[in-house]
Amino acid sequence: MIPSRKHAIFCFAVLAFALGSNADYDEDEIETEPIDRSYEAQLLVRKVIAEDVLVEFSNITVTYGIFNTGGSAAFSVDLTDASWGDLYEVVEGEASQSWTRIAAGASVNHTIIVKPKYAGPLMNQPAKVTYLPTSDTDEPQVVGSSLPVGKVLSSAEKYMKMALQVGKYLTLGFVRTEGEWKVFGSLSAVLFALFMGNTMALKGKAWHKDRQSRIAMEALGVSDESK
Ligand SMILES: *[C@@H]1O[C@H](CO)[C@@H](O)[C@H](O)[C@H]1NC(C)=O
Ligand SMILES: *[C@@H]1O[C@H](CO)[C@@H](O)[C@H](O)[C@H]1NC(C)=O
């Protein structure tokens, strides 16, 4: 490939940028970068979790989406995600994946299933993708994926959450939070005690009445055949 005028300008721009750039790393600079990269591959990487509720020892479906928004195909694309060490079990799929080529404007997906062995804030890190942005370069580009955030519930927390969901319907939306449940719970306990107390009292009365009539009948010399 004959080096074009555009290439020469580009190289000059890279040099100028390298010389001019501040040693302090500033994320904003990536967005305002003046270099024309429109004829290179430019990959955007998304990492998303399918489940709304994450629970310890339950499957989490992780999908990596890679979009090539650049003007060239990307080559030797390697995805790695170092998130799934000791804290997870990878139950399906591979934590890393490679593609020889991703065409300009194309996207690929990669899905794996992992099981967290802990409860607490979701522990993970961005996936890393390296790629060659044109067919005539050996200089790989590196991009990080977006980072899902969330919380892995313990089994107990899951049941509490489910109970809250059910409770919300049972109480017509009156009881929604854990705190409200505690109040509602104590109230219910009191009502239950009152109800049970009342039932016992009624039973007691019935028994008393029954006993009185038996005594009366015995006094009259009538034997109670029903016993
Ligand atoms: C979790 O994922 C594995 C692997 O795909 C599957 O065999 C298993 O049935 C899943 N478990 C549940 C509860 O969905
Ligand atoms: C990747 O997943 C996204 C979101 O689910 C979907 O819109 C897209 O079509 C998928 N791409 C491919 C190449 O399967």
Side-chain angles (χ1 to χ4, degrees):
M1 195 175 166
I2 304 156
S4 65
R5 194 174 131 79
K6 211 172 169 191
H7 267 91
I9 293 171
F10 170 66
C11 291
F12 179 74
V14 169
L15 193 66
F17 181 75
L19 291 174
S21 72
N22 195 314
D24 288 341
Y25 179 71
D26 183 354
E27 263 186 346
D28 291 345
E29 275 181 19
I30 291 169
E31 319 234 308
T32 57
E33 198 173 281
I35 300 168
D36 175 17
R37 291 191 182 280
S38 60
Y39 60 93
E40 292 189 353
Q42 183 96 52
L43 300 187
L44 296 183
V45 186
R46 220 165 55 125
K47 175 181 175 181
V48 289
I49 285 175
E51 290 80 8
D52 291 332
V53 180
L54 312 179
V55 186
E56 61 177 342
F57 304 111
S58 295
N59 287 359
I60 295 182
T61 311
V62 184
T63 298
Y64 307 93
I66 306 180
F67 308 87
N68 185 354
T69 63
S72 158
F75 299 89
S76 308
V77 183
D78 286 316
L79 166 88
T80 49
D81 190 344
S83 302
W84 321 120
D86 294 342
L87 291 171
Y88 295 85
E89 183 193 339
V90 178
V91 294
E92 195 183 312
E94 297 285 334
S96 58
Q97 178 78 24
S98 299
W99 294 267
T100 348
R101 186 178 187 276
I102 299 175
S107 73
V108 293
N109 288 335
H110 177 59
T111 299
I112 65 169
I113 298 176
V114 298
K115 241 182 226 186
K117 300 186 208 163
Y118 67 94
L122 181 67
M123 308 283 273
N124 82 132
Q125 43 185 287
K128 193 178 83 176
V129 170
T130 61
Y131 64 101
L132 301 176
T134 65
S135 58
D136 57 357
T137 180
D138 296 329
E139 290 287 314
Q141 293 272 326
V142 184
V143 283
S145 74
S146 57
L147 184 65
V149 291
K151 185 168 184 274
V152 178
L153 302 182
S154 66
S155 305
E157 285 170 320
K158 180 183 101 171
Y159 290 122
M160 175 56 89
K161 197 180 166 77
M162 278 164 57
L164 283 177
Q165 288 297 321
V166 173
K168 201 160 75 181
Y169 293 112
L170 288 184
T171 62
L172 304 175
F174 175 66
V175 175
R176 271 185 228 96
T177 66
E178 211 169 311
E180 283 173 349
W181 257 118
K182 279 176 188 152
V183 173
F184 181 76
S186 334
L187 208 64
S188 306
V190 171
L191 289 174
F192 183 72
L194 285 175
F195 174 76
M196 286 310 283
N198 201 26
T199 311
M200 294 296 201
L202 287 176
K203 271 197 186 136
K205 263 185 200 152
W207 177 82
H208 189 65
K209 206 174 149 202
D210 190 40
R211 188 164 167 268
Q212 269 184 333
S213 63
R214 240 188 357 253
I215 292 167
M217 281 195 271
E218 271 164 20
L220 292 170
V222 184
S223 71
D224 188 350
E225 301 295 337
S226 73
K227 277 213 283 120

